[in-house]
Amino acid sequence: MLLEKCKSEKSTKNGETMNNEVVDLNLAEPTIFRQWTLFMENRGIINFDSSETRVIDSTIGIFDDSDRLIATGSSSGNILKYIAVSDDESYTGLFNSIVSTLVSRLAQRGIFHVFVFTNPEHMASFEFVGFKKVAQTDFIVLLENGDQTIESYLQSLPRIEGNPKIAGIVMNANPFTQGHRYLVEQALLQNDFVYVFVVSADYSLFNSQERYDLVKKGLSDLSSRVIIVAGGDYIISAATFPAYFLKSNENTIEYQSELDAQIFKERIAKALGISSRFLGSEPFSKTTGIYNRVVQETLEPDINVHIVERKKNDGRYVTATEVRKAIKNNKIDSIEKLVPDSTYDFIKSNLGRLQNRIERGMNINGN
Amino acid sequence: MEIENTALAGTLESSDIQIMISKGDGKITIELESDVKKEFGDEIESVIKQTLAASNIESAKVKAVDKGALNCVIRARTLTAANRALGIADKPSWEVL
């Protein structure tokens, strides 16, 4: 602290220094919220869907001498959001002040790996302050900054030597069922090896460690050909795909699916030598249905996409949703055939804890 | 000494430099972003290296975003980031400067 500049952040107008401090904005205050949304609408940001705004942890702003908002930015977990600055060219340094303050505050909370979504025309501004591109679609760019990068994530994954045929599968596995296992088996019929990426984000009834462990146990007999890895920040995470876990409109789901697929295609599959992706057909979830379609459109023709008809049991599709319902309704005998022994044993011995989570409000109808 | 934790010091304001130090792989690596990298990149990197060397830090990854900082500022920010990463920010070794 001793060597840090004192707290006031400065910006300049017409060469004169003004003491426009960076202040906290309380968006729960209706007048502040209105001023904030109005300012951003003028800057072309128009999505104030509550699924986006209610996950904001903190919002800061800079006001001019007549109390008009001239810059703002927010953070949600390790993601910077809603960054907008006045286009009055006589102000300089507003953008840097906002980004700098957000990054420093996250650092104080021990968060050093930061993401930002923006549109391609603003990419350069973020690159000037140290951010690096992860992936890009026509409408959206994901950039990151800090002590980890997608390169370091990819380097941490086990590699397969030689030139075998490798497939990739992404699963949330909440929890791991015979359906997930069937999908892996189908992929193995046509490939030498399969990477299974288990979604790391913790928005599900079974937490990420439990889901990862159950995938590992449920596939342990296939471990010579199946490589199970955590998806980290780069596969269906809060950074790539927040809409997967929140109720969101279809456009949001679509552009986030495309970004997620783009990261898989351009970064992950290229680094690991993955030539095809296997997905389970989706009869029920709207989000997953859109996701499957967009993934197919984005990955092909570079990567072959196989959408495998879901496994059935007694004429009904095996789904993890069904398993979660049975947990809630205390009818776990009915799911014994739907899950491997390892998953069943886990549910049996942790039934109370899982039901507790549902009672405390964990949503079990989403993904 | 080796850096184990990540730490940040400095801002992106004009005339400042933002320094992030994290665990290295046995040597000092510096990733520098600066408008004047062509003119002053080598100098900025050497000031960072000297400051770390004076603190006996042999392994660290440094990300620096320079906004036209003077050498004294670069030294101060580097030292602060290093001290924070080492958990000794409350007793800085001033003689390093």
Side-chain angles (χ1 to χ4, degrees), chain B residues 19-38:
Chain B
I19 303 267
M20 183 181 281
I21 294 187
S22 52
K23 190 177 168 61
D25 51 6
K27 55 185 187 302
I28 305 287
T29 51
I30 299 175
E31 195 184 312
L32 173 68
E33 168 74 43
S34 174
D35 288 346
V36 291
K37 190 170 177 173
K38 222 166 68 195

Side-chain angles (χ1 to χ4, degrees), chain A residues 151-223:
Chain A
E151 285 88 5
S152 61
Y153 167 74
L154 292 169
Q155 267 167 22
S156 74
L157 301 181
R159 302 292 171 102
I160 300 158
E161 300 293 321
N163 200 12
K165 231 181 135 193
I166 307 172
I169 297 177
V170 172
M171 56 177 70
N172 194 31
N174 180 33
F176 187 79
T177 66
Q178 295 290 8
H180 295 109
R181 191 183 155 91
Y182 175 75
L183 184 60
V184 174
E185 288 167 350
Q186 292 302 305
L188 281 174
L189 291 178
Q190 300 176 42
N191 290 276
D192 303 314
F193 293 93
V194 175
Y195 275 99
V196 174
F197 297 90
V198 184
V199 173
S200 296
D202 254 327
Y203 294 100
S204 305
L205 175 59
F206 292 78
N207 69 37
S208 65
Q209 191 59 48
E210 291 163 354
R211 288 184 285 104
Y212 182 84
D213 288 344
L214 291 178
V215 172
K216 210 143 204 172
K217 282 183 190 150
L219 295 169
S220 58
D221 56 316
L222 303 171
S223 63

Side-chain angles (χ1 to χ4, degrees), chain A residues 96 99-104 107 129-131 145, chain B residues 8-13 16-21 31-33 48 62-67 69 73 77-78 81:
Chain A
N96 286 12
V99 174
S100 180
T101 307
L102 289 172
V103 168
S104 299
V129 291
F131 282 78
N145 188 13
Chain B
L8 180 81
T11 72
L12 303 167
E13 307 285 334
D16 202 349
I17 185 168
Q18 187 196 60
I19 303 267
M20 183 181 281
I21 294 187
E31 195 184 312
L32 173 68
E33 168 74 43
I48 294 172
V62 179
K63 264 200 87 168
V65 183
D66 169 61
K67 293 294 161 193
V73 176
R77 296 309 195 191
T78 305

Side-chain angles (χ1 to χ4, degrees), chain A residues 3-10, chain B residues 11 13-14 16 77:
Chain A
L3 299 170
E4 285 288 316
K5 199 163 61 173
C6 60
K7 220 189 156 199
S8 91
E9 312 278 346
K10 292 186 174 67
Chain B
T11 72
E13 307 285 334
S14 183
D16 202 349
R77 296 309 195 191

